[in-house]
Amino acid sequence: MTLSVPAPLVPPARVLLGPGPSDVAPSVLRALAAPTVGHLDPYFLGVMDEVRAMLRAVFGTKNTITMPMSGTGSAGMETLFVNLIEPGDRVLVGVHGVFGGRMAEVARRCGAEVVTVSAPWGREIDADAMRAAAKGQRFDAIAMVHAETSTGVLTPLAPFRALADELGALFLVDAVTSLGGVPIDVDAHGVDAIYSGTQKCLSCPPGLAPVSLSERAMAKLKSRKIRPQSWYLDLELIGSYWGSERAYHHTAPINMLYGIHEALRLALEEGLDARFARHARHAKALAAGLQALGLELPVPEGSRLPPLTLVAIPEGIEDAPVRKALLQRYGIEIGGGLGDFKGRAWRIGLMGSGSTPRNVLLCLGALHGTLAAMGWKAKGDPIAAAIALLG
Ligand SMILES: *Cc1c(COP(=O)(O)O)cnc(C)c1O
């Protein structure tokens, strides 16, 4: 058999306005293309130290165990549960979208007894409903998704720390779409363990999962009766590679670490407060434009997640042809609905370096053109409505 060797890849330059991956900053792409060194090279050990220091700053923590795991956001999720949950532990999970559901499933696979408390899709998780469900029961951990990318909802962290205190439980957080896009403040919120990903608001390609664990979480890990079932994600072993021992565990994805180094550097150079304000401003302008188009935003204003906006697909408009036209005619990717919102909503991401005035206007103009060609009549002028808020 002879294989006809494919031509070299020439990927199209898309505008990524979906739920992730987001647009990658040009300097991050350049960093990824730098020469690969050994994973124990003195140069690389310096890179690791800087990545760690910058990750602590972006998470808002002094936690010693703060580092990127080799894998995507879901590897971060597995890392928390496989290390902190032992068979027979009881875990309370708030579920208001796909990712809360995934957390519950991962916890179950770690042998936990899982109790889920659901909130309607498009609404915040309700700490009081979780408190009521927990009444009179023991829980070792509570878990929730800070920024639910499947619905575009941001849930404040503070009420959940209070609940974890009442239960004497660890407080576990999914921050895959919040890190670098909205404030997290891990230490101020008393979060015990948190994970994220690189391809959402950090604007790096997918491939690393930053995690951070408090002393309390590490104490739980050290007091386990049996070692975590995953050797690859064992935080004690990986901690000795990232710690002063530099003991080989697995080969770090060197170039991805160059990438996250540049992505974190860009975030800190911009300033976190300025970056959060930028995400908020552009999301408001997008929302105003979408409403001027006559579209509805199912998430109440106070609960909206700036990096990701959920838009209801109007009566008489089909989902797939719109997304296809956006991609083929304008080179723009937006997300379809997941779960309860499949076929009923679009998800528009303005994440990291993709959160720009240009992308707000580009998205609104392209969506307007696409819907108009399908007979949709806009209520007002989406571009003017957005420009009024872009300042
Ligand atoms: C994207 C996402 C994940 C999963 O991350 P992957 O990188 O796809 O593995 C988990 N939680 C949330 C909230 C996400 O948005």
Side-chain angles (χ1 to χ4, degrees):
M1 260 196 4
T2 56
L3 170 73
S4 64
V5 178
L9 297 178
V10 187
R14 306 286 198 213
V15 181
L16 297 178
L17 302 181
S22 61
D23 270 343
V24 177
S27 66
V28 171
L29 287 176
R30 282 196 299 276
L32 289 164
T36 304
V37 298
H39 65 102
L40 295 172
D41 190 297
Y43 176 79
F44 189 66
L45 300 182
V47 172
M48 289 166 69
D49 287 343
E50 290 183 356
V51 164
R52 221 138 71 125
M54 290 193 287
L55 257 186
R56 289 196 184 107
V58 174
F59 267 129
T61 185
K62 294 197 167 64
N63 287 341
T64 307
I65 296 297
T66 302
M67 65 217 173
M69 301 295 287
S70 305
T72 66
S74 304
M77 188 188 288
E78 296 253 11
T79 298
L80 258 55
F81 287 99
V82 87
N83 281 280
L84 298 178
I85 302 304
E86 290 189 88
D89 278 359
R90 292 178 48 85
V91 182
L92 182 65
V93 186
V95 178
H96 65 328
V98 166
F99 297 106
R102 189 178 294 181
M103 277 180 142
E105 174 62 13
V106 170
R108 271 185 219 107
R109 290 187 186 203
C110 292
E113 272 181 58
V114 176
V115 175
T116 59
V117 177
S118 298
W121 284 47
R123 296 293 180 274
E124 294 174 20
I125 314 170
D126 181 352
D128 286 331
M130 284 174 70
R131 179 174 286 107
K135 208 166 168 31
Q137 299 177 59
R138 165 184 73 89
F139 281 99
D140 301 284
I142 69 168
M144 52 89 73
V145 178
H146 186 211
E148 204 9 295
T149 325
S150 61
T151 62
V153 169
L154 181 67
T155 302
L157 298 175
F160 297 88
R161 177 66 256 171
L163 175 60
D165 281 339
E166 290 161 29
L167 296 171
L170 290 176
F171 177 28
L172 277 42
V173 175
D174 175 318
V176 174
T177 296
S178 33
L179 189 69
V182 297
I184 302 181
D185 298 322
V186 167
D187 288 355
H189 283 111
V191 175
D192 287 308
I194 192 162
Y195 60 89
S196 189
T198 40
Q199 78 274 26
K200 314 269 168 121
C201 297
L202 291 180
S203 279
C204 196
L208 290 174
V211 299
S212 185
L213 278 83
S214 70
E215 293 296 330
R216 189 165 21 191
M218 288 311 290
K220 161 91 199 214
L221 172 55
K222 293 208 169 84
S223 73
R224 286 181 66 111
K225 291 184 262 322
I226 50 166
R227 299 316 312 147
Q229 91 223 26
S230 169
W231 176 88
Y232 190 66
L233 300 176
D234 184 325
L235 277 174
E236 280 196 294
L237 298 179
I238 293 174
S240 13
Y241 172 52
W242 280 83
S244 49
E245 305 93 312
R246 306 291 189 186
Y248 165 68
H249 177 257
H250 67 274
T251 311
I254 311 296
N255 292 55
M256 270 308 294
L257 278 141
Y258 298 161
I260 196 176
H261 183 280
E262 176 59 16
L264 292 167
R265 221 188 54 72
L266 289 178
L268 293 170
E269 196 173 61
E270 176 176 11
L272 292 178
D273 289 342
R275 191 175 176 92
F276 301 147
R278 171 166 65 81
H279 280 82
R281 183 167 65 247
H282 297 153
K284 282 210 170 73
L286 176 71
L290 292 168
Q291 284 166 330
L293 254 176
L295 301 178
E296 280 176 24
L297 309 182
V299 177
E301 196 173 351
S303 306
R304 284 183 203 149
L305 172 64
L308 190 115
T309 300
L310 187 78
V311 195
I313 300 175
E315 205 69 46
I317 297 287
E318 268 187 89
D319 173 19
V322 171
R323 284 191 288 128
K324 190 171 159 195
L326 288 175
L327 191 68
Q328 292 188 342
R329 201 169 150 80
Y330 301 97
I332 296 175
E333 176 181 282
I334 66 166
L338 282 182
D340 285 7
F341 288 122
K342 195 170 163 52
R344 295 174 43 215
W346 293 308
R347 292 179 299 151
I348 303 179
L350 290 170
M351 299 182 181
S353 64
S355 175
T356 61
R358 184 193 72 159
N359 282 347
V360 171
L361 299 183
L362 186 65
C363 178
L364 289 170
L367 194 56
H368 191 185
T370 304
L371 291 176
M374 295 172 175
W376 180 257
K377 295 259 179 303
K379 236 171 52 184
D381 180 345
I383 299 292
I387 285 175
L389 292 178
L390 287 173

